Every structure is written in structure tokens, then in C-alpha cells.
């Protein structure tokens, strides 16, 4: 698995054995740029995301990259493809699952490499399969968490401001955020949907949903322009107004490309965004194929892992920041990850921090929160701090509950026509399920079954392992400044 360096107390890593295609599977006489382009042409029909950036060779991993293709005197290109068969079979196979392509461009002059990871898929053809994944109006889930809160900003290839470099402070009317290369970067947001009680009886109902970024990205997949309107990171919206907004965006897609193509665009959008969430990134990091194929910022503890650890710890102790208390369903996952992480590290001295169960990641969050509060008081932007903290709370709770929380199998274990097999039963897991069923009703189980559009990049057990490894990697870096035994 990827180079998320662990502390000496962490569990052992999963084996990183992969069966892949490389340029070594192509006859030498066809190893040229034109032939390679023809081999890749069929992939253009697939949807997907590309994660790209610079990587240090010191974290290159042990993966086999095969024969390099010389691009210039100074640069060469290497490719890995999973699953095997794309090159070795001599043709592009009809894959129904996920195809991953990793590229590494190395220079004989520089000390850093450019790496790219493409994750591709084909969307379902059946309209019913598409429709069931796209309920943006649900108000039944008993959780603080929220799906599709991406922590990486997708950059849209078809939205590029070629004039931005002439005026760095220029604000684009339709694209409020541009990346470093002046492509449109879609910001995430969340909404708190409020629903009044029926006939004035009872209490108002609240639920969380992702903002409009999913519709903006869907427009990109469909070739329909959908305006990216800036929103608060956590914005309260009445239920009727949210339904109206969802219907309006759906109508734009329908008018542009039709119902089925619009559904496919939404499915692809939600699949892509789901991969850029905390739990989605953990699935990618858990996959053995990405060893040596990720930019440094994705796996170094001062990059994306720091954001994931931050979100998770905020969700573990929301009362420290005046945030909404977790539900009974949420507490199941929170208690488990708190126990596993905190049993691996000694807390900071309470005499120095004034806190109990306080770790280096918590001290970093506290310092950042204090700085944000001070700046907010100076600029009268206190609400922005509250909104952003609420956003990260929701993203972290989603991550915890998806991986450590209640699942359908906890209430409805699979049944075999041959009866119970004692050798395959886990007494500890059975005891855990019994406690959960006693504490939490079956109407609260698996609040994340709405992730049917998510790609199954790794098992729940692998993502648990990766999250704990990531948390320990961040904690060790914050305490020692080291990663993989090196000072960074």
C-alpha cells in the first residue's frame, strides 16, 4: 500500500502485489508515441478523474513500472495500468469495473517526478440504477455527516481563463475560484435543510446535504453550462427552497441533454466527487496500485492526510468547538475510532495543555482555531469560521460513520442456505453487533447506503487500517517533524 509511514505500534501493512500492464508488454517496434496514443483512444469513452502533481523519488515505492518511453533527451515516460489486459491482450478489453492508469514522467536533470493517476469507469446504462443514487432531497438519515463533501477541488478541463495570468486579482464572473493554472476549481459547500413540523405538531427536522458543486460537475460531464454560485460552507436552507433548487438544476440538465444523459452525468459527477471526499481518498490510498503513483501532497502528513485527520478529530470532539452533538448512530463509529487511535499514543500532559485526552493533532487544531477566531474578530467574519468548522465536522463524521459506523450487515447478517458455519463466526464482532442493535434502532442503520454511486476501491477493513495509519502518520509528524524516518 502507499507510503503512509506508521509508528512502531501500528498494525502491519497489507501486501502490495498487483498484476498490471506496462510498456514492457508492448513489442519494441510499437513503443512510440503514435502507437501509444492509439492504444489509449478507447479510454476516451470512459468517465473519471485525474490526480496529478509532483512527487519525490524518495517515496517512489516498490512498484514495477516497466520499460520507459523516451520523450526527449531529458524526459522519459512510464505507464502502469490495472487491471492487466489492456496492453498485454493487444487491445482494450470491455471492462465493466474500474480502470486505473498511473503515469510517471521523469527527467534526468531534476530531482522531482511528475506523476498522474487516472481512475476511470463506465456509468450504468439502466436509468433505474441511475435514478436510485440521486436522491438529494432525503431528510431521513439520523446523522450529522453528509455525503459528497469533497476536500479536493475538481478542476474542470473545459473551463479555462486564459486571461487570468495578465491580472492575478481578476475575478471571473462565472468561475469564482481558479486553480494555479487558471482552470475552474469547484468549491465544496454543504446545506442544512430545515423542515417545519406537519400541522405545527412536533419539532422542526434538520438534515445535511452537499451543496451545488455536484450539479456544476454534472454540467461538465454533460456539456451543459451550470453556473457555480458561491455559497456559505454550511448554509441553512428551507426544505421547499432546496427542492426547488434541485429541480431547477435537474431541469437544466434535462433541457440540455435529455433525461437519461442527464442522469448519467449526475451519476458520474457524484461518483467523481465521492472519490474526492475524506472516505473516498482513504479508498484510493488503500489500493495497492497507487504505490508510487500519487503526488506528495496526497500522502505526506502535511498535505491531504492532515485535512482528513483534522476533520475526523473535530467530529470526535464536536463539543470542544460548540458544534452539533452526534446522534446515537454517529457515536458508534466515534467511540470505536477514538478508542483505537488514542490507545496507540500517549496524550499530551494535561498540566501543559489544560485539556484531557489531548493529542498533537488536537493542539494543532486548537491553535488554528484560535488564529481563525482572532482574524474573524478583526475582519467581522465570525460566521465564516463557524460555517467552515461545521463543514469539516460533517465531512469528518461522514468519514467515521462510513468506515466505523453502523452497516446493513450489523442488522441483517447474510444468511447461508447451508446454515450457520461456526468456523467463520467472530464472537467479538457478534458481541459488537448485539450491543449496537440494543443501543440503536434498526431505523438508524447504515445511513450511508446512499453511496451506491461510490466506487468500491477498498474494503471497509482496509479503509479502517488506512485511516488509523494516516492518523498515526500525522500525529508522529506533528510531534517529531518526521515522515518515513526523514525530517520534512
Amino acid at each position: 500500500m502507499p507510503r503512509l509511514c506508521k509508528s512502531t505500534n501500528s498494525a502491519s501493512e497489507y501486501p502490495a502485489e498487483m498484476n498490471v500492464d506496462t510498456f514492457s508488454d508492448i513489442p519494441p517496434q510499437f513503443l512510440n508515441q503514435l502507437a501509444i496514443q492509439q492504444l489509449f483512444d478507447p479510454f476516451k469513452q470512459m468517465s473519471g478523474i485525474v490526480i496529478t502533481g509532483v512527487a519525490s523519488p524518495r517515496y517512489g515505492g516498490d512498484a514495477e513500472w516497466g520499460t520507459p518511453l523516451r520523450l526527449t533527451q531529458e524526459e522519459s515516460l512510464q505507464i502502469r495500468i490495472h487491471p492487466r489486459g489492456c496492453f498485454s491482450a493487444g487491445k482494450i478489453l470491455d471492462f465493466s469495473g474500474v480502470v486505473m492508469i498511473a503515469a510517471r514522467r521523469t527527467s534526468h536533470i531534476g530531482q522531482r517526478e511528475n506523476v498522474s493517476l487516472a481512475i476511470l469507469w463506465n456509468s450504468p446504462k439502466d436509468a433505474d440504477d441511475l435514478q436510485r443514487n440521486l436522491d438529494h432531497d432525503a431528510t431521513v438519515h439520523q446523522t450529522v455527516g453528509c455525503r459528497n463533501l469533497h476536500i479536493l477541488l475538481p478542476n474542470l478541463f473545459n473551463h479555462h481563463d486564459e486571461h487570468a495570468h495578465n491580472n492575478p486579482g481578476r475575478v471571473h464572473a462565472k468561475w469564482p475560484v481558479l486553480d494555479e493554472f487558471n482552470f475552474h476549481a469547484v468549491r465544496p459547500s454543504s446545506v442544512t435543510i430545515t423542515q417545519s413540523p406537519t400541522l405545527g405538531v412536533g419539532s422542526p427536522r434538520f438534515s445535511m446535504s452537499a451543496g451545488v458543486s455536484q450539479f456544476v460537475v454534472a454540467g461538465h460531464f454533460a456539456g451543459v453550462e451550470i453556473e457555480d454560485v458561491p455559497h456559505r460552507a454550511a448554509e441553512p436552507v428551507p426544505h421547499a427552497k432546496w427542492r426547488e433548487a434541485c429541480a431547477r438544476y435537474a431541469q437544466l440538465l434535462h433541457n440540455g441533454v435529455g433525461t437519461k444523459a442527464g442522469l448519467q452525468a449526475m451519476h458520474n459527477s457524484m461518483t467523481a466527487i465521492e472519490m474526492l471526499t475524506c472516505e473516498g481518498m482513504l479508498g484510493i490510498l488503500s489500493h495497492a496500485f497507487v504505490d508510487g503513483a500519487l503526488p506528495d501532497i496526497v500522502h505526506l502528513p502535511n498535505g491531504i492526510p492532515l485535512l482528513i485527520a483534522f476533520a475526523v478529530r473535530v467530529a470526535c470532539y464536536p463539543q470542544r468547538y460548540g458544534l452539533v452533538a452526534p446522534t446515537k448512530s454517529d457515536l458508534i463509529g466515534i467511540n470505536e475510532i477514538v478508542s483505537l487511535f488514542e490507545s496507540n499514543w500517549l496524550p499530551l500532559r494535561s498540566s501543559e495543555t489544560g485539556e484531557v485526552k489531548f493529542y498533537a493533532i488536537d493542539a494543532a487544531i486548537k491553535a488554528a482555531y484560535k488564529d481563525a477566531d482572532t482574524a474573524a474578530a478583526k475582519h467581522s467574519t465570525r460566521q465564516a469560521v463557524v460555517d467552515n468548522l461545521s463543514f469539516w465536522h460533517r465531512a469528518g463524521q461522514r468519514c467515521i460513520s462510513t468506515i466505523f459506523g453502523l452497516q446493513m450487515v450489523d442488522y441483517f447478517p447474510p444468511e447461508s442456505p447451508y446454515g450457520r458455519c461456526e468456523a467463520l463466526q467472530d464472537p467479538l464482532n457478534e458481541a459488537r453487533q448485539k450491543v449496537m442493535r440494543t443501543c440503536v434502532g434498526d431505523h438508524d442503520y447504515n445511513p450511508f447506503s446512499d453511496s451506491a454511486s461510490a466506487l468500491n476501491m477498498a474494503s471497509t477493513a482496509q479503509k479502517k487500517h488506512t485511516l488509523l495509519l494516516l492518523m498515526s502518520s500525522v500525529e508522529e509528524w506533528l510531534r517529531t517533524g518526521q515522515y518515513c524516518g526523514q525530517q520534512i
Side-chain angles (χ1 to χ4, degrees), residues 144-146 149-151 277-279 311-312 315 389-400:
V144 173
C146 176
L149 296 186
H150 51 101
I151 61 172
T277 62
C278 293
E279 61 275 15
V312 167
L389 207 53
S390 296
F391 173 90
W392 287 100
H393 177 205
R394 294 169 182 180
Q397 184 59 62
R398 166 74 179 197
C399 180
I400 293 172

Side-chain angles (χ1 to χ4, degrees), residues 449-481:
S449 57
D450 56 8
S451 283
S453 61
L455 299 179
N456 187 23
M457 298 292 293
S459 68
T460 301
Q462 287 173 316
K463 285 188 279 191
K464 284 181 179 180
H465 175 82
T466 300
L467 177 54
L468 291 171
L469 194 60
L470 178 147
M471 299 276 292
S472 287
S473 176
V474 170
E475 182 73 13
E476 183 173 17
W477 170 70
L478 288 170
R479 293 183 183 223
T480 66

Side-chain angles (χ1 to χ4, degrees), residues 75-343:
E75 285 190 329
S76 60
L77 175 69
Q78 292 173 293
I79 294 288
R80 301 171 66 226
I81 301 183
H82 173 75
R84 183 170 173 78
C86 298
F87 287 167
S88 55
K91 60 181 179 180
I92 300 297
L93 304 181
D94 183 19
F95 292 117
S96 58
V98 179
V99 174
M100 290 189 287
I101 305 174
R104 180 170 69 177
R105 195 172 79 246
T106 57
S107 171
H108 302 294
I109 300 175
Q111 295 298 314
R112 298 174 73 82
E113 302 169 344
N114 286 88
V115 294
S116 298
L117 174 68
I119 303 176
L120 311 176
W121 63 85
N122 287 306
S123 57
K125 305 298 184 205
D126 193 306
D128 292 335
D129 291 339
L130 294 166
Q131 182 67 51
R132 66 178 181 172
N133 301 331
L134 307 180
D135 183 11
H136 307 279
D137 186 38
T139 58
V140 297
H141 298 330
Q142 304 297 319
T143 178
V144 173
C146 176
R147 68 170 171 169
N148 287 127
L149 296 186
H150 51 101
I151 61 172
L152 268 70
L153 275 60
N155 303 326
L156 307 186
F157 292 158
N158 64 339
H159 287 176
H160 184 253
D161 188 348
E162 66 273 19
H163 302 295
H165 68 278
N166 296 325
N167 184 1
R170 181 172 183 263
V171 177
H172 198 286
K174 293 192 299 182
W175 312 329
V177 180
L178 300 177
D179 70 1
E180 59 180 317
F181 301 108
N182 301 322
F183 286 95
H184 176 197
V186 183
R187 280 187 58 189
S189 64
S190 65
V191 294
T192 305
I193 304 172
T194 59
Q195 189 172 17
S196 301
T198 306
L199 301 177
V201 179
S203 303
R205 296 176 64 187
F206 300 90
S207 63
M208 319 303 173
S209 178
V212 301
S213 60
Q214 54 199 324
F215 296 105
V216 176
V217 175
H220 170 74
F221 279 112
V224 176
E225 286 294 325
I226 294 182
E227 188 178 4
D228 185 7
V229 180
H231 289 274
R232 289 165 53 182
E235 185 170 347
V237 178
H239 182 246
K241 186 176 180 181
W242 180 242
R243 290 194 65 177
E244 179 185 328
C246 291
R248 184 173 68 254
Y249 288 120
Q251 192 63 43
L252 286 173
L253 290 171
H254 172 79
N255 294 342
V257 294
T259 300
K260 185 173 181 180
L263 287 173
Q264 287 182 328
M266 277 304 305
H267 175 91
N268 289 328
S269 169
M270 296 180 72
T271 302
I273 287 178
E274 187 77 22
M275 299 187 70
L276 304 178
T277 62
C278 293
E279 61 275 15
M281 292 304 301
L282 288 169
I284 294 174
L285 287 167
S286 299
H287 204 288
F289 177 80
V290 305
D291 187 22
L294 291 174
D296 288 348
I297 194 173
V298 176
H299 66 91
L300 258 63
N302 56 355
I304 300 303
L306 180 60
L307 295 180
I308 296 175
F310 157 61
V312 167
R313 289 301 286 181
V314 167
C316 288
Y317 293 100
Q319 69 276 11
R320 290 177 177 171
Y321 313 99
L323 297 169
V324 177
T327 65
K328 286 184 178 179
S329 176
D330 293 335
L331 278 172
I332 295 292
I334 289 173
N335 291 338
E336 189 163 347
I337 190 171
V338 163
S339 174
L340 290 169
F341 170 71
E342 294 184 359
S343 63

